[in-house]
Amino acid sequence: MADYSFLTTWVLGAERERVWEAIYESERWPEWWPGVEVAERLAEGDERGIGQRGRYVWRSTIPYPVEFEIVTTCVERPHLLEGRATGELEGVGRWRFFEHGGVTAVLYEWNVATTKRWMNALAPVGRPLFRWNHDRVMRAGGHGLARLLGAPLIASS
């Protein structure tokens, strides 16, 4: 398997609770996040949301849909949301939320490995393309979230 570690930061002129809600309600991502083709809840979690399971299909510039499931493993509302991915990508995704003066910084860590043979075979030469594709999807997500919230996207990286 080929391992990838991504770190995305969005800074939005919106309160943390509003940003948290939009990220937490992942089944609504296709409404505002270009590249998310499917986001469906497969199972409810406990009263905090731990154990919630969702199925996701992403497609961006690379004309291949990537499909995986995520089980929520940690919910510390409105500071931290974490899940374990299985499927074509396996690993951990972690959202962290920080607010100061009505401005929210969102940090997303995505530490995954590809499970498809062709992805692993292409990794030595395809890694820059996969990274570029990921960054493009995440940048579009930051802009989509800002539009959804009616808030400025102050920074995105």
Side-chain angles (χ1 to χ4, degrees), residues 67-81:
E67 184 173 344
F68 53 90
E69 291 186 6
I70 295 183
V71 174
T72 303
T73 56
C74 183
V75 178
E76 295 177 12
R77 183 184 188 94
H79 304 283
L80 174 66
L81 180 60

mmCIF file with all atom_site columns, all heavy atoms in Angstrom, residues 67-81:
data_model
loop_
_atom_site.group_PDB
_atom_site.id
_atom_site.type_symbol
_atom_site.label_atom_id
_atom_site.label_alt_id
_atom_site.label_comp_id
_atom_site.label_asym_id
_atom_site.label_entity_id
_atom_site.label_seq_id
_atom_site.pdbx_PDB_ins_code
_atom_site.Cartn_x
_atom_site.Cartn_y
_atom_site.Cartn_z
_atom_site.occupancy
_atom_site.B_iso_or_equiv
_atom_site.pdbx_formal_charge
_atom_site.auth_seq_id
_atom_site.auth_comp_id
_atom_site.auth_asym_id
_atom_site.auth_atom_id
_atom_site.pdbx_PDB_model_num
ATOM 1   N N   . GLU A 1 67 ? -13.944 5.351  -3.619 1.00 0.00 ? 67 GLU A N   1
ATOM 2   C CA  . GLU A 1 67 ? -15.023 5.003  -2.697 1.00 0.00 ? 67 GLU A CA  1
ATOM 3   C C   . GLU A 1 67 ? -14.448 4.413  -1.412 1.00 0.00 ? 67 GLU A C   1
ATOM 4   O O   . GLU A 1 67 ? -13.531 3.590  -1.446 1.00 0.00 ? 67 GLU A O   1
ATOM 5   C CB  . GLU A 1 67 ? -15.958 3.992  -3.352 1.00 0.00 ? 67 GLU A CB  1
ATOM 6   C CG  . GLU A 1 67 ? -17.154 3.643  -2.497 1.00 0.00 ? 67 GLU A CG  1
ATOM 7   C CD  . GLU A 1 67 ? -18.169 2.771  -3.225 1.00 0.00 ? 67 GLU A CD  1
ATOM 8   O OE1 . GLU A 1 67 ? -18.122 2.681  -4.470 1.00 0.00 ? 67 GLU A OE1 1
ATOM 9   O OE2 . GLU A 1 67 ? -19.003 2.178  -2.535 1.00 0.00 ? 67 GLU A OE2 1
ATOM 10  N N   . PHE A 1 68 ? -15.024 4.845  -0.289 1.00 0.00 ? 68 PHE A N   1
ATOM 11  C CA  . PHE A 1 68 ? -14.617 4.319  1.012  1.00 0.00 ? 68 PHE A CA  1
ATOM 12  C C   . PHE A 1 68 ? -15.717 4.574  2.019  1.00 0.00 ? 68 PHE A C   1
ATOM 13  O O   . PHE A 1 68 ? -16.655 5.325  1.763  1.00 0.00 ? 68 PHE A O   1
ATOM 14  C CB  . PHE A 1 68 ? -13.290 4.952  1.476  1.00 0.00 ? 68 PHE A CB  1
ATOM 15  C CG  . PHE A 1 68 ? -13.289 6.450  1.464  1.00 0.00 ? 68 PHE A CG  1
ATOM 16  C CD1 . PHE A 1 68 ? -13.683 7.180  2.573  1.00 0.00 ? 68 PHE A CD1 1
ATOM 17  C CD2 . PHE A 1 68 ? -12.880 7.145  0.334  1.00 0.00 ? 68 PHE A CD2 1
ATOM 18  C CE1 . PHE A 1 68 ? -13.687 8.562  2.556  1.00 0.00 ? 68 PHE A CE1 1
ATOM 19  C CE2 . PHE A 1 68 ? -12.870 8.529  0.308  1.00 0.00 ? 68 PHE A CE2 1
ATOM 20  C CZ  . PHE A 1 68 ? -13.278 9.242  1.421  1.00 0.00 ? 68 PHE A CZ  1
ATOM 21  N N   . GLU A 1 69 ? -15.615 3.912  3.161  1.00 0.00 ? 69 GLU A N   1
ATOM 22  C CA  . GLU A 1 69 ? -16.520 4.140  4.276  1.00 0.00 ? 69 GLU A CA  1
ATOM 23  C C   . GLU A 1 69 ? -15.721 4.731  5.419  1.00 0.00 ? 69 GLU A C   1
ATOM 24  O O   . GLU A 1 69 ? -14.514 4.485  5.534  1.00 0.00 ? 69 GLU A O   1
ATOM 25  C CB  . GLU A 1 69 ? -17.178 2.825  4.727  1.00 0.00 ? 69 GLU A CB  1
ATOM 26  C CG  . GLU A 1 69 ? -18.150 2.283  3.720  1.00 0.00 ? 69 GLU A CG  1
ATOM 27  C CD  . GLU A 1 69 ? -18.908 1.051  4.214  1.00 0.00 ? 69 GLU A CD  1
ATOM 28  O OE1 . GLU A 1 69 ? -18.759 0.668  5.401  1.00 0.00 ? 69 GLU A OE1 1
ATOM 29  O OE2 . GLU A 1 69 ? -19.652 0.476  3.399  1.00 0.00 ? 69 GLU A OE2 1
ATOM 30  N N   . ILE A 1 70 ? -16.401 5.502  6.256  1.00 0.00 ? 70 ILE A N   1
ATOM 31  C CA  . ILE A 1 70 ? -15.774 6.061  7.452  1.00 0.00 ? 70 ILE A CA  1
ATOM 32  C C   . ILE A 1 70 ? -16.649 5.747  8.653  1.00 0.00 ? 70 ILE A C   1
ATOM 33  O O   . ILE A 1 70 ? -17.866 5.955  8.618  1.00 0.00 ? 70 ILE A O   1
ATOM 34  C CB  . ILE A 1 70 ? -15.559 7.581  7.342  1.00 0.00 ? 70 ILE A CB  1
ATOM 35  C CG1 . ILE A 1 70 ? -14.561 7.897  6.231  1.00 0.00 ? 70 ILE A CG1 1
ATOM 36  C CG2 . ILE A 1 70 ? -15.087 8.154  8.685  1.00 0.00 ? 70 ILE A CG2 1
ATOM 37  C CD1 . ILE A 1 70 ? -14.227 9.360  6.073  1.00 0.00 ? 70 ILE A CD1 1
ATOM 38  N N   . VAL A 1 71 ? -16.029 5.241  9.706  1.00 0.00 ? 71 VAL A N   1
ATOM 39  C CA  . VAL A 1 71 ? -16.693 5.030  10.987 1.00 0.00 ? 71 VAL A CA  1
ATOM 40  C C   . VAL A 1 71 ? -16.145 6.083  11.946 1.00 0.00 ? 71 VAL A C   1
ATOM 41  O O   . VAL A 1 71 ? -14.926 6.203  12.115 1.00 0.00 ? 71 VAL A O   1
ATOM 42  C CB  . VAL A 1 71 ? -16.447 3.612  11.536 1.00 0.00 ? 71 VAL A CB  1
ATOM 43  C CG1 . VAL A 1 71 ? -17.029 3.466  12.937 1.00 0.00 ? 71 VAL A CG1 1
ATOM 44  C CG2 . VAL A 1 71 ? -17.031 2.571  10.601 1.00 0.00 ? 71 VAL A CG2 1
ATOM 45  N N   . THR A 1 72 ? -17.040 6.843  12.544 1.00 0.00 ? 72 THR A N   1
ATOM 46  C CA  . THR A 1 72 ? -16.641 7.896  13.484 1.00 0.00 ? 72 THR A CA  1
ATOM 47  C C   . THR A 1 72 ? -16.097 7.260  14.758 1.00 0.00 ? 72 THR A C   1
ATOM 48  O O   . THR A 1 72 ? -16.759 6.416  15.372 1.00 0.00 ? 72 THR A O   1
ATOM 49  C CB  . THR A 1 72 ? -17.841 8.808  13.805 1.00 0.00 ? 72 THR A CB  1
ATOM 50  O OG1 . THR A 1 72 ? -18.335 9.348  12.581 1.00 0.00 ? 72 THR A OG1 1
ATOM 51  C CG2 . THR A 1 72 ? -17.435 9.937  14.735 1.00 0.00 ? 72 THR A CG2 1
ATOM 52  N N   . THR A 1 73 ? -14.888 7.680  15.150 1.00 0.00 ? 73 THR A N   1
ATOM 53  C CA  . THR A 1 73 ? -14.223 7.104  16.325 1.00 0.00 ? 73 THR A CA  1
ATOM 54  C C   . THR A 1 73 ? -14.093 8.087  17.478 1.00 0.00 ? 73 THR A C   1
ATOM 55  O O   . THR A 1 73 ? -13.864 7.674  18.613 1.00 0.00 ? 73 THR A O   1
ATOM 56  C CB  . THR A 1 73 ? -12.824 6.593  15.947 1.00 0.00 ? 73 THR A CB  1
ATOM 57  O OG1 . THR A 1 73 ? -12.077 7.674  15.367 1.00 0.00 ? 73 THR A OG1 1
ATOM 58  C CG2 . THR A 1 73 ? -12.920 5.427  14.962 1.00 0.00 ? 73 THR A CG2 1
ATOM 59  N N   . CYS A 1 74 ? -14.229 9.399  17.195 1.00 0.00 ? 74 CYS A N   1
ATOM 60  C CA  . CYS A 1 74 ? -14.082 10.406 18.245 1.00 0.00 ? 74 CYS A CA  1
ATOM 61  C C   . CYS A 1 74 ? -14.925 11.625 17.886 1.00 0.00 ? 74 CYS A C   1
ATOM 62  O O   . CYS A 1 74 ? -14.839 12.121 16.761 1.00 0.00 ? 74 CYS A O   1
ATOM 63  C CB  . CYS A 1 74 ? -12.618 10.790 18.413 1.00 0.00 ? 74 CYS A CB  1
ATOM 64  S SG  . CYS A 1 74 ? -12.330 11.975 19.751 1.00 0.00 ? 74 CYS A SG  1
ATOM 65  N N   . VAL A 1 75 ? -15.721 12.083 18.839 1.00 0.00 ? 75 VAL A N   1
ATOM 66  C CA  . VAL A 1 75 ? -16.505 13.307 18.665 1.00 0.00 ? 75 VAL A CA  1
ATOM 67  C C   . VAL A 1 75 ? -16.345 14.133 19.930 1.00 0.00 ? 75 VAL A C   1
ATOM 68  O O   . VAL A 1 75 ? -16.755 13.713 21.015 1.00 0.00 ? 75 VAL A O   1
ATOM 69  C CB  . VAL A 1 75 ? -18.010 13.010 18.435 1.00 0.00 ? 75 VAL A CB  1
ATOM 70  C CG1 . VAL A 1 75 ? -18.792 14.305 18.302 1.00 0.00 ? 75 VAL A CG1 1
ATOM 71  C CG2 . VAL A 1 75 ? -18.212 12.121 17.222 1.00 0.00 ? 75 VAL A CG2 1
ATOM 72  N N   . GLU A 1 76 ? -15.719 15.294 19.814 1.00 0.00 ? 76 GLU A N   1
ATOM 73  C CA  . GLU A 1 76 ? -15.608 16.256 20.906 1.00 0.00 ? 76 GLU A CA  1
ATOM 74  C C   . GLU A 1 76 ? -16.144 17.573 20.376 1.00 0.00 ? 76 GLU A C   1
ATOM 75  O O   . GLU A 1 76 ? -15.395 18.435 19.926 1.00 0.00 ? 76 GLU A O   1
ATOM 76  C CB  . GLU A 1 76 ? -14.156 16.393 21.368 1.00 0.00 ? 76 GLU A CB  1
ATOM 77  C CG  . GLU A 1 76 ? -13.598 15.125 21.971 1.00 0.00 ? 76 GLU A CG  1
ATOM 78  C CD  . GLU A 1 76 ? -12.139 15.240 22.348 1.00 0.00 ? 76 GLU A CD  1
ATOM 79  O OE1 . GLU A 1 76 ? -11.591 16.377 22.357 1.00 0.00 ? 76 GLU A OE1 1
ATOM 80  O OE2 . GLU A 1 76 ? -11.531 14.192 22.623 1.00 0.00 ? 76 GLU A OE2 1
ATOM 81  N N   . ARG A 1 77 ? -17.453 17.695 20.402 1.00 0.00 ? 77 ARG A N   1
ATOM 82  C CA  . ARG A 1 77 ? -18.169 18.824 19.830 1.00 0.00 ? 77 ARG A CA  1
ATOM 83  C C   . ARG A 1 77 ? -17.822 20.115 20.540 1.00 0.00 ? 77 ARG A C   1
ATOM 84  O O   . ARG A 1 77 ? -17.863 20.135 21.749 1.00 0.00 ? 77 ARG A O   1
ATOM 85  C CB  . ARG A 1 77 ? -19.668 18.555 19.930 1.00 0.00 ? 77 ARG A CB  1
ATOM 86  C CG  . ARG A 1 77 ? -20.494 19.609 19.314 1.00 0.00 ? 77 ARG A CG  1
ATOM 87  C CD  . ARG A 1 77 ? -21.978 19.330 19.537 1.00 0.00 ? 77 ARG A CD  1
ATOM 88  N NE  . ARG A 1 77 ? -22.740 20.259 18.787 1.00 0.00 ? 77 ARG A NE  1
ATOM 89  C CZ  . ARG A 1 77 ? -23.223 20.059 17.579 1.00 0.00 ? 77 ARG A CZ  1
ATOM 90  N NH1 . ARG A 1 77 ? -23.033 18.904 17.008 1.00 0.00 ? 77 ARG A NH1 1
ATOM 91  N NH2 . ARG A 1 77 ? -23.876 20.983 16.958 1.00 0.00 ? 77 ARG A NH2 1
ATOM 92  N N   . PRO A 1 78 ? -17.514 21.176 19.903 1.00 0.00 ? 78 PRO A N   1
ATOM 93  C CA  . PRO A 1 78 ? -17.266 21.426 18.484 1.00 0.00 ? 78 PRO A CA  1
ATOM 94  C C   . PRO A 1 78 ? -15.779 21.568 18.177 1.00 0.00 ? 78 PRO A C   1
ATOM 95  O O   . PRO A 1 78 ? -15.371 22.452 17.424 1.00 0.00 ? 78 PRO A O   1
ATOM 96  C CB  . PRO A 1 78 ? -17.993 22.753 18.273 1.00 0.00 ? 78 PRO A CB  1
ATOM 97  C CG  . PRO A 1 78 ? -17.696 23.521 19.538 1.00 0.00 ? 78 PRO A CG  1
ATOM 98  C CD  . PRO A 1 78 ? -17.657 22.459 20.633 1.00 0.00 ? 78 PRO A CD  1
ATOM 99  N N   . HIS A 1 79 ? -14.973 20.721 18.779 1.00 0.00 ? 79 HIS A N   1
ATOM 100 C CA  . HIS A 1 79 ? -13.516 20.861 18.671 1.00 0.00 ? 79 HIS A CA  1
ATOM 101 C C   . HIS A 1 79 ? -12.830 19.810 17.796 1.00 0.00 ? 79 HIS A C   1
ATOM 102 O O   . HIS A 1 79 ? -11.839 20.114 17.138 1.00 0.00 ? 79 HIS A O   1
ATOM 103 C CB  . HIS A 1 79 ? -12.877 20.814 20.062 1.00 0.00 ? 79 HIS A CB  1
ATOM 104 C CG  . HIS A 1 79 ? -13.426 21.826 20.998 1.00 0.00 ? 79 HIS A CG  1
ATOM 105 N ND1 . HIS A 1 79 ? -13.071 23.147 20.944 1.00 0.00 ? 79 HIS A ND1 1
ATOM 106 C CD2 . HIS A 1 79 ? -14.323 21.719 21.998 1.00 0.00 ? 79 HIS A CD2 1
ATOM 107 C CE1 . HIS A 1 79 ? -13.723 23.811 21.870 1.00 0.00 ? 79 HIS A CE1 1
ATOM 108 N NE2 . HIS A 1 79 ? -14.492 22.965 22.530 1.00 0.00 ? 79 HIS A NE2 1
ATOM 109 N N   . LEU A 1 80 ? -13.346 18.578 17.821 1.00 0.00 ? 80 LEU A N   1
ATOM 110 C CA  . LEU A 1 80 ? -12.635 17.472 17.181 1.00 0.00 ? 80 LEU A CA  1
ATOM 111 C C   . LEU A 1 80 ? -13.633 16.444 16.655 1.00 0.00 ? 80 LEU A C   1
ATOM 112 O O   . LEU A 1 80 ? -14.594 16.097 17.340 1.00 0.00 ? 80 LEU A O   1
ATOM 113 C CB  . LEU A 1 80 ? -11.706 16.801 18.206 1.00 0.00 ? 80 LEU A CB  1
ATOM 114 C CG  . LEU A 1 80 ? -10.977 15.530 17.785 1.00 0.00 ? 80 LEU A CG  1
ATOM 115 C CD1 . LEU A 1 80 ? -9.972  15.809 16.679 1.00 0.00 ? 80 LEU A CD1 1
ATOM 116 C CD2 . LEU A 1 80 ? -10.291 14.907 18.991 1.00 0.00 ? 80 LEU A CD2 1
ATOM 117 N N   . LEU A 1 81 ? -13.366 15.986 15.446 1.00 0.00 ? 81 LEU A N   1
ATOM 118 C CA  . LEU A 1 81 ? -14.165 14.934 14.820 1.00 0.00 ? 81 LEU A CA  1
ATOM 119 C C   . LEU A 1 81 ? -13.189 14.028 14.096 1.00 0.00 ? 81 LEU A C   1
ATOM 120 O O   . LEU A 1 81 ? -12.365 14.497 13.306 1.00 0.00 ? 81 LEU A O   1
ATOM 121 C CB  . LEU A 1 81 ? -15.162 15.555 13.839 1.00 0.00 ? 81 LEU A CB  1
ATOM 122 C CG  . LEU A 1 81 ? -16.096 14.623 13.087 1.00 0.00 ? 81 LEU A CG  1
ATOM 123 C CD1 . LEU A 1 81 ? -16.971 13.835 14.054 1.00 0.00 ? 81 LEU A CD1 1
ATOM 124 C CD2 . LEU A 1 81 ? -16.954 15.431 12.125 1.00 0.00 ? 81 LEU A CD2 1
#
